[in-house]
Amino acid sequence: MESILNNKLGIIGSSLIAEEHILAFQENDFDVTCIASSNNSKTAHTLAKKYKSVKYFPSVPEMLQEGEYSSLAILSSVESLYSNLIKALDYADYIFIEKPVSLNTSEINKIKSLRNVQVGFNRRYYSSVDKLRSFIEKAEFITGNINFPEEISTTSKSTDKKKLHHEAIRKNSIHIFDLLSYLFGELKVEYKKTIGNKEYIGVEAILSNEICNLYLSSSLNDPSNTSISIFNGQKRAVLRPLEHYTEYEGFIVKDPEKGSKIRRYSPNAVSNNVVEAKKFKPGFYEQSLDFKKLLTGEDSLKRPTLEDSYIASSLIDNLLS
């Protein structure tokens, strides 16, 4: 791979996963030179002290006016991602930005044609997702079930469960909708319904296109793993959780044990794959490597764009409207 001519990288924001990003960027030869944050962030101060070469700026404008940057990584709060991106566009040739870019689909629509921005949908880079995509590509038609639980923020002042759930989906679970588009292509919401009678529980929907029919559900405080389970008529492939891929074919039949009349039928696992995450948060090393490729002009089929963020956000709009 061609080396980066200018590997200096500035960081905007100090979210909880900012350090995870810094470690992955550094492993891929980026020189993280500075970090800017607002409200005198303790996290940003701590990171600047820990990484001696990183200079701290108390505001984003102050850092940007210090000089032009080859690349910037925007890792701020969800609410400030879009505004920081708009500020950064005049100061950097290439930008990495965390999902969801914006909570407003119309804002993403205004900039979706930009090709110098990579979005942080790190789950695209899971080896387990690679396996599932290969499984899908070999199938003529598939049915599937997608489940993603959400938790209500304990710090929120609102008691509107439906509103809080929808906000959580836009902030956190947009990565699920990006994965669905990445794996299955453009999807249409055929059916949608609120789950619950007197008290709101969640949402359910049927998504489809010419190759698939998918049942989707999301419930509040559901004690289950996020999962994608699909069937191609002969085999079933499952991500549960997303880092763990298992492929099943047929059953293993176990006769009743002594003192029982129950015959057991267990799905027969024929292959599996588990994402390795010993040094970096899953997908972070690979996505920062892909960002490096963006700087050197190398194409990538996995690299998430602003267009991809717009597609995922639009799918959420269609589900929740």
Side-chain angles (χ1 to χ4, degrees):
M1 184 192 301
E2 184 182 347
S3 62
I4 306 176
L5 296 177
N6 184 348
N7 65 345
K8 296 186 182 301
L9 174 71
I11 304 290
I12 294 176
S14 55
S15 61
L16 294 176
I17 57 173
E19 185 168 14
E20 298 282 359
H21 280 292
I22 290 173
L23 292 172
F25 281 127
Q26 288 181 331
E27 186 72 11
N28 280 298
D29 302 321
F30 284 93
D31 179 15
V32 180
T33 59
C34 55
I35 184 169
S37 187
S38 58
N39 303 321
N40 200 28
S41 166
K42 291 183 179 179
T43 304
H45 274 296
T46 301
L47 290 173
K49 288 180 180 179
K50 184 173 182 178
Y51 300 94
K52 303 298 183 182
S53 61
V54 178
K55 182 178 179 180
Y56 171 76
F57 287 91
S59 72
V60 174
E62 186 175 337
M63 188 189 94
L64 293 176
Q65 291 165 13
E66 181 85 358
E68 292 187 1
Y69 297 86
S70 173
S71 56
L72 290 167
I74 302 176
L75 314 175
S76 55
S77 66
V78 168
E79 291 75 14
S80 62
L81 285 171
Y82 181 79
S83 61
N84 282 329
L85 174 59
I86 297 303
K87 294 173 188 174
L89 286 172
D90 291 331
Y91 293 90
D93 297 323
Y94 301 96
I95 297 173
F96 176 92
I97 184 169
E98 257 297 351
K99 62 175 176 63
V101 179
S102 172
L103 297 175
N104 188 328
T105 306
S106 63
E107 288 184 338
I108 307 175
N109 185 42
K110 296 175 184 177
I111 55 172
K112 67 180 181 181
S113 62
L114 296 177
R115 290 295 178 261
N116 63 332
V117 180
Q118 177 177 326
V119 182
F121 290 120
N122 61 298
R123 289 160 181 84
R124 285 189 178 207
Y125 298 93
Y126 287 7
S127 58
S128 55
V129 171
D130 289 340
K131 288 284 189 180
L132 185 62
R133 190 172 188 186
S134 178
F135 181 90
I136 293 168
E137 288 173 347
K138 297 173 184 176
E140 292 185 8
F141 190 85
I142 50 182
T143 63
N145 295 278
I146 295 91
N147 177 59
F148 59 99
E150 277 290 358
E151 291 184 338
I152 291 179
S153 171
T154 56
T155 60
S156 176
K157 295 180 181 179
S158 175
T159 58
D160 186 335
K161 289 186 177 181
K162 182 176 181 179
K163 179 182 177 181
L164 290 172
H165 187 209
H166 289 192
E167 287 179 353
I169 289 175
R170 292 189 181 279
K171 289 182 178 181
N172 304 322
S173 293
I174 189 171
H175 69 86
I176 291 292
F177 292 86
D178 174 68
L179 270 187
L180 295 180
S181 298
Y182 174 66
L183 291 168
F184 301 103
E186 184 177 353
L187 291 163
K188 181 180 179 181
V189 179
E190 301 284 358
Y191 161 87
K192 57 187 177 183
K193 185 179 180 181
T194 296
I195 305 172
N197 188 5
K198 293 182 179 180
E199 187 167 347
Y200 177 84
I201 296 176
V203 294
E204 64 177 6
I206 293 176
L207 313 177
S208 71
N209 59 23
E210 63 277 5
I211 67 162
C212 70
N213 197 71
L214 309 171
Y215 171 74
L216 178 148
S217 65
S218 178
S219 300
L220 283 172
N221 304 317
D222 178 3
S224 63
N225 280 317
T226 296
S227 64
I228 300 176
S229 175
I230 62 175
F231 181 60
N232 68 0
Q234 295 180 322
K235 296 181 180 180
R236 179 169 293 279
V238 180
L239 296 183
R240 185 186 298 115
L242 297 180
E243 295 81 5
H244 194 159
Y245 172 89
T246 308
E247 193 172 309
Y248 300 94
E249 183 175 18
F251 291 90
I252 297 174
V253 182
K254 294 183 179 180
D255 290 332
E257 297 177 354
K258 187 177 181 180
S260 173
K261 297 291 185 179
I262 299 174
R263 179 174 282 104
R264 300 175 185 271
Y265 295 84
S266 301
N268 181 37
V270 294
S271 70
N272 64 79
N273 177 276
V274 179
V275 176
E276 290 189 10
K278 296 179 181 178
K279 190 174 181 181
F280 303 101
K281 187 175 176 65
F284 272 43
Y285 172 83
E286 292 82 2
Q287 77 175 358
S288 62
L289 176 61
D290 212 4
F291 187 59
K292 180 179 178 179
K293 292 178 181 179
L294 176 63
L295 271 64
T296 58
E298 192 171 335
D299 290 334
S300 168
L301 295 176
K302 285 187 181 180
R303 184 181 301 134
T305 65
L306 289 169
E307 176 76 25
D308 294 318
S309 185
Y310 171 75
I311 290 171
S313 186
S314 296
L315 188 54
I316 292 175
D317 285 347
N318 292 336
L319 172 68
L320 302 182
S321 62

